[in-house]
Amino acid sequence: MKMKETYLQVDDLSGNGGDAPGAGAMQDDVPAPRIKASEVVALARDMGVSKKKLIRALGFDRGEILHKAYSDGYLDSTQSELVIHFLGIIAKVNELYFDGTPDALSLVARREMARFLDWRPFTLGCRRASGYFSSLEGQALVKQEIVADFFGVCP
């Protein structure tokens, strides 16, 4: 069982609720959802890219993921979080480019996301975007660049 950690309430962020009742309230850590490794394999299939390419882009060990996928295993919490954020980027692609809903299950958005794996935006140093998907910060940068590209915003 994880330790309970304090969390900030909205009024604490502005500096107004330091001694307010509930300002130091305790919250149980909600376990992060765990994703089956076979979902990564299915995602690669839906995107139209090889399993190896997607697994490498997410920064996972290919042997470990394929072993977990074939033995019906789950990703660990860090890997699950990376995949969830990656699905969030796919949902954003669907929202911007296709039907306007944040749906990560959209097959056309998944296919479009495959294009962004090899994308080399200037603002990311002309490096492939797939090199940024192995961390949450990198995924946030790529998502920001996708949105900026959609709206035609140049830095």
Side-chain angles (χ1 to χ4, degrees), residues 10-76:
V10 176
D11 57 349
D12 290 340
L13 295 175
S14 63
N16 298 328
D19 296 310
M26 301 297 274
Q27 175 180 341
D28 286 329
D29 279 350
V30 178
R34 301 211 37 216
I35 297 177
K36 285 192 170 197
S38 58
E39 292 298 320
V40 175
V41 174
L43 179 60
R45 183 191 64 232
D46 290 349
M47 289 175 66
V49 298
S50 68
K51 296 177 279 195
K52 180 180 177 181
K53 184 174 187 174
L54 181 61
I55 291 170
R56 184 177 48 221
L58 292 170
F60 301 159
D61 178 42
R62 184 173 53 119
E64 175 191 1
I65 299 301
L66 294 179
H67 174 72
K68 287 180 178 181
Y70 296 128
S71 63
D72 206 30
Y74 287 88
L75 300 174
D76 64 30

